[in-house]
């Protein structure tokens, strides 16, 4: 009885070990994926799938896009797919782009599509734009004609992706900037703003002649003016601002001259006060001179009294005539 129990335990342990080994095997070796690939027409070995596991590559991320490409009739090497995956590319997007290009009769190979994808561009969207042109709308662009009137315009640019220039070519921002520059140049060269309003297609023709798509990832098919409007009279505004500035300058200069005149007047008043002080100082020396003359005998007493009488008579006459002493000084 004990021998039977021991044998059953041993069989159970062996069964558990076999189950664990099989589960680890099927987990590490994607047999189900290999079966799916085989019946989908993708020739890949178990060893290749195990190698992907060892290289830390998820086999389903390589095999499923490869199955999709094979069903679409594309001949793609599995090593190229794995290399692109390890480089950080999006394999599904590349395969979708190749399938779309094949359906649209666009000459696009895997290496070119992988390069576009690694460059950071959406290669599938680029193929779609190459088949179905895209419309880029510019923001409202303001420009001034020669007569000083502002013209505001908004354009719609129809572009088609250029597959050959997607790597290294400029993007939509460059297209918008160049179109805006062309609008400003065209409006600025117009003699009157009414010329632009009457013929808005002149803007499109002028801008198209400049070859704005040079060096970009797009080919410009058409430029259409979606909206055009009249803005401010910038020329008149500038003249008004200049006139206001000239007026402020003239007022500042006039205020400077007035301040100088006031200062000069104050200087003259101070000079008058200075001269009056000298007169008073000189008059204060008269009594001293008279005293010296009396002492020296050059002036008699009667002469002195006669002079006093004359001064008194003069003061009386001034009082009668209404003239003060200050008026006499003036």
């Amino acid at each position: 009885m004990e021998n039977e129990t021991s044998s059953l335990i041993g069989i159970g342990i062996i069964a558990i070990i076999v189950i664990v080994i099989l589960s680890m095997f099927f987990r590490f070796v994607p047999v189900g994926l290999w079966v799916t690939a085989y019946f989908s027409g993708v020739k890949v070995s178990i060893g290749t799938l195990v190698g992907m596991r060892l290289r830390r590559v998820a086999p389903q991320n390589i095999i499923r896009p490869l199955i999709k490409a094979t069903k679409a009739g594309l001949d793609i090497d599995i090593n190229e797919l794995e290399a692109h995956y390890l480089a950080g590319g999006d394999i599904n997007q590349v395969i979708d782009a190749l399938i779309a290009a094949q359906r649209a009769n666009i000459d696009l190979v895997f290496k070119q599509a992988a390069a576009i994808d690694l460059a950071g561009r959406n290669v599938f969207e680029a193929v779609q734009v190459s088949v179905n042109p895209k419309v880029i709308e510019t923001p409202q662009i303001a420009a001034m004609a020669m007569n000083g009137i502002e013209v505001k315009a908004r354009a719609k640019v129809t572009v088609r992706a250029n597959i050959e220039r997607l790597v290294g070519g400029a993007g939509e921002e460059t297209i918008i900037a160049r179109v805006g520059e062309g609008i400003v140049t065209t409006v600025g060269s117009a003699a009157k703003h009414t010329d632009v309003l009457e013929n808005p297609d002149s803007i499109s023709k002028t801008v198209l002649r400049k070859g704005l798509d040079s060096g970009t990832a797009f080919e410009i098919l058409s430029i259409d003016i979606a909206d055009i409007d009249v803005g401010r009279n910038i020329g008149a505004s500038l003249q008004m601002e200049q006139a206001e500035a000239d007026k402020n300058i003239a007022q500042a200069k006039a205020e400077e001259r007035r301040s100088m005149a006031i200062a000069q007047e104050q200087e003259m008043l101070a000079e008058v006060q200075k001269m009056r002080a000298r007169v008073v100082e000189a008059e204060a020396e008269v009594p001293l001179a008279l005293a010296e003359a009396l002492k020296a005998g050059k002036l008699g007493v009667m002469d002195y009294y006669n002079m006093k009488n004359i001064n008194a008579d003069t003061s009386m006459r001034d009082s009668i005539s209404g003239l003060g002493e200050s008026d006499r000084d003036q």
Side-chain angles (χ1 to χ4, degrees):
M1 189 68 177
E2 292 180 358
N3 293 332
E4 291 180 0
T5 304
S6 300
S7 61
L8 289 174
I9 293 174
I11 293 172
I13 294 174
I14 293 173
I16 292 173
I17 293 174
V18 170
I19 292 172
V20 171
I21 292 174
L22 288 176
S23 63
M24 292 179 63
F25 174 80
F26 284 109
R27 181 177 179 83
F28 189 77
V29 179
V31 177
L33 185 62
W34 175 82
V35 173
T36 302
Y38 180 80
F39 285 100
S40 299
V42 176
K43 306 301 181 182
V44 60
S45 65
I46 292 292
T48 302
L49 299 179
V50 173
M52 291 182 186
R53 291 284 194 189
L54 295 175
R55 289 188 293 271
R56 296 182 181 275
V57 175
Q60 65 272 13
N61 293 337
I62 305 296
I63 300 302
R64 296 188 186 282
L66 184 58
I67 292 173
K68 183 165 51 175
T70 303
K71 288 298 182 181
L74 299 177
D75 185 14
I76 299 176
D77 188 5
I78 190 172
N79 292 323
E80 291 181 336
L81 287 178
E82 187 176 354
H84 186 65
Y85 177 82
L86 291 173
D90 190 337
I91 296 178
N92 276 305
Q93 190 178 96
V94 172
I95 296 300
D96 291 341
L98 290 173
I99 295 173
Q102 183 191 45
R103 297 294 187 269
N105 293 324
I106 297 175
D107 187 15
L108 180 65
V109 296
F110 177 81
K111 289 184 179 180
Q112 188 178 11
I116 295 171
D117 182 56
L118 292 178
R121 295 187 183 276
N122 191 323
V123 61
F124 180 62
E125 181 182 350
V127 173
Q128 287 181 324
V129 174
S130 182
V131 176
N132 184 21
K134 179 181 180 180
V135 177
I136 302 174
E137 185 171 353
T138 66
Q140 191 176 62
I141 299 169
M144 185 177 70
M146 290 184 180
N147 61 351
I149 304 299
E150 182 185 41
V151 177
K152 298 179 180 180
R154 182 182 289 106
K156 289 186 177 181
V157 186
T158 305
V159 297
R160 180 171 55 200
N162 191 328
I163 300 296
E164 296 179 355
R165 292 190 303 205
L166 278 175
V167 178
E172 295 182 12
E173 293 79 7
T174 302
I175 294 290
I176 293 174
R178 290 182 179 180
V179 171
E181 180 184 356
I183 292 175
V184 171
T185 303
T186 305
V187 175
S189 60
K192 297 182 295 183
H193 70 286
T194 53
D195 297 339
V196 181
L197 296 178
E198 292 172 359
N199 300 297
D201 59 331
S202 62
I203 299 177
S204 304
K205 294 177 181 178
T206 304
V207 173
L208 278 174
R209 285 197 300 266
K210 293 180 178 292
L212 302 180
D213 53 4
S214 175
T216 66
F218 300 96
E219 177 186 354
I220 297 179
L221 301 179
S222 67
I223 299 176
D224 304 303
I225 302 302
D227 182 33
I228 189 167
D229 196 6
V230 178
R232 301 171 299 160
N233 190 338
I234 298 179
S237 300
L238 292 176
Q239 291 178 357
M240 291 175 60
E241 291 176 1
Q242 184 63 42
E244 184 69 20
D246 294 340
K247 184 188 76 171
N248 293 335
I249 293 174
Q251 288 179 346
K253 290 182 178 179
E255 183 65 22
E256 181 182 359
R257 290 194 296 270
R258 189 179 73 85
S259 299
M260 292 178 62
I262 293 175
Q264 188 175 6
E265 180 184 4
Q266 294 299 323
E267 290 178 358
M268 296 302 296
L269 291 175
E271 189 66 23
V272 170
Q273 295 296 330
K274 182 178 179 181
M275 297 303 294
R276 285 181 178 177
R278 289 182 179 178
V279 171
V280 172
E281 183 180 358
E283 288 178 350
E285 294 179 356
V286 171
L288 297 177
L290 291 175
E292 291 292 334
L294 289 173
K295 288 182 181 180
K298 295 180 180 181
L299 181 67
V301 175
M302 293 305 297
D303 295 330
Y304 175 73
Y305 280 111
N306 287 333
M307 184 183 67
K308 295 289 285 183
N309 289 332
I310 291 171
N311 289 336
D313 185 59
T314 302
S315 298
M316 181 183 67
R317 291 176 183 275
D318 290 340
S319 299
I320 292 172
S321 64
L323 294 175
E325 190 173 343
S326 60
D327 294 329
R328 275 203 322 273
D329 294 338
Q330 295 177 358

